[in-house]
Amino acid sequence: MERKMNIRAAAGLLALTGLLGMGTTWAYFTYQKYLTNQFRVGYNEITVTEEYDPPDEIIPGEVTEFRKAVQVENTGTVPCYVRIRLEYSDSEMKEYCTHILGADSARASEWENMAEQFTGGKWVYGTDGCYYYTSPLKVQERTDLLLEKVQVHVPKEDSGKLKDFEIYVYAESVQTMIHVSGAEGQESSWEALDYKEAWGQFLERV
């Protein structure tokens, strides 16, 4: 009787050992490591990287030239399109100014008509008064110059019209990705065909 009990105990111990071994093996083959995927939303940001060296004074009858190199840099994390608006604080003084880019120059009031030619099509003047950069701007990339120098010449006979003035540079940007609505109303995104499409959608939604 005692012998039978020992056999049963041994059989039970063997079964328990087998179950424990199976549990260990099962855990080994089913081990999983969970990873948390983090997604960062890209942001659109630009900086006007202007080099500006204003003159001490403007003297009637003399030509005063100073550096005003206008560019835009993409300081965000996604590609973008940019546009610039140039504004004179005094429109009358604009008539006495000449814009210069490399070997090319034109009256400030005519710059909008010449910018595309002078920049090889990189900058295009729009009907809304903005200069549009036609190429997408990569992260940390700068645009070509829109303007490099300014000359001011006020004839002596117009010395009474000489005033202090400033040239303002306003810059804006939009991402190169646009939203597209599917047949069932679902939204998706893809790369804009060009600057016109990117800005066109943005302006429609403003």
Side-chain angles (χ1 to χ4, degrees), residues 57-70:
E57 63 176 328
I58 298 173
I59 301 173
E62 297 184 8
V63 176
T64 303
E65 183 176 292
F66 58 92
R67 185 166 178 79
K68 189 174 180 65
V70 178

Side-chain angles (χ1 to χ4, degrees), residues 2-202:
E2 183 179 352
R3 181 179 176 80
K4 290 181 180 178
M5 288 179 64
N6 287 339
I7 291 173
R8 288 174 182 172
L13 182 60
L14 183 61
L16 180 60
T17 304
L19 287 173
L20 289 173
M22 184 183 295
T24 303
T25 304
W26 182 253
Y28 177 80
F29 282 111
T30 60
Y31 174 74
Q32 294 182 12
K33 183 177 181 181
Y34 293 94
L35 298 176
T36 301
N37 293 315
Q38 296 182 343
F39 298 92
R40 293 184 177 181
V41 178
Y43 62 92
N44 180 27
E45 182 180 78
I46 57 172
T47 300
V48 177
T49 58
E50 180 185 67
E51 294 179 26
Y52 179 50
D53 185 19
D56 294 329
E57 63 176 328
I58 298 173
I59 301 173
E62 297 184 8
V63 176
T64 303
E65 183 176 292
F66 58 92
R67 185 166 178 79
K68 189 174 180 65
V70 178
Q71 287 177 290
V72 176
E73 181 179 355
N74 181 355
T75 54
T77 61
V78 294
C80 64
Y81 286 105
V82 302
R83 66 179 183 178
I84 285 178
R85 182 185 294 273
L86 296 177
E87 296 284 352
Y88 275 70
S89 60
D90 191 295
S91 58
E92 291 185 2
M93 286 303 299
K94 187 175 183 178
E95 297 303 317
Y96 298 110
C97 292
T98 297
H99 289 179
I100 301 171
L101 181 61
D104 297 312
S105 63
R107 302 283 293 183
S109 56
E110 292 295 321
W111 194 250
E112 58 198 46
N113 300 323
M114 305 304 297
E116 183 174 355
Q117 176 184 333
F118 292 164
T119 62
K122 286 291 187 178
W123 288 100
V124 175
Y125 188 73
T127 56
D128 56 1
C130 293
Y131 295 89
Y132 287 83
Y133 197 64
T134 57
S135 299
L137 203 59
K138 298 177 183 177
V139 175
Q140 296 185 338
E141 185 179 26
R142 291 187 182 187
T143 64
D144 288 10
L145 288 168
L146 172 61
L147 177 65
E148 189 174 10
K149 298 177 182 178
V150 175
Q151 277 187 358
V152 185
H153 177 231
V154 179
K156 287 185 176 181
E157 58 269 25
D158 289 344
S159 60
K161 297 180 180 180
L162 182 59
K163 304 174 186 176
D164 292 337
F165 72 98
E166 295 181 20
I167 304 174
Y168 302 118
V169 179
Y170 303 97
E172 294 180 300
S173 63
V174 292
Q175 292 190 20
T176 57
M177 300 297 292
I178 61 173
H179 297 286
V180 180
S181 298
E184 299 179 1
Q186 72 275 20
E187 288 261 330
S188 59
S189 299
W190 67 41
E191 199 81 14
L193 295 175
D194 55 21
Y195 77 97
K196 292 181 181 179
E197 186 175 34
W199 281 107
Q201 185 182 92
F202 169 77

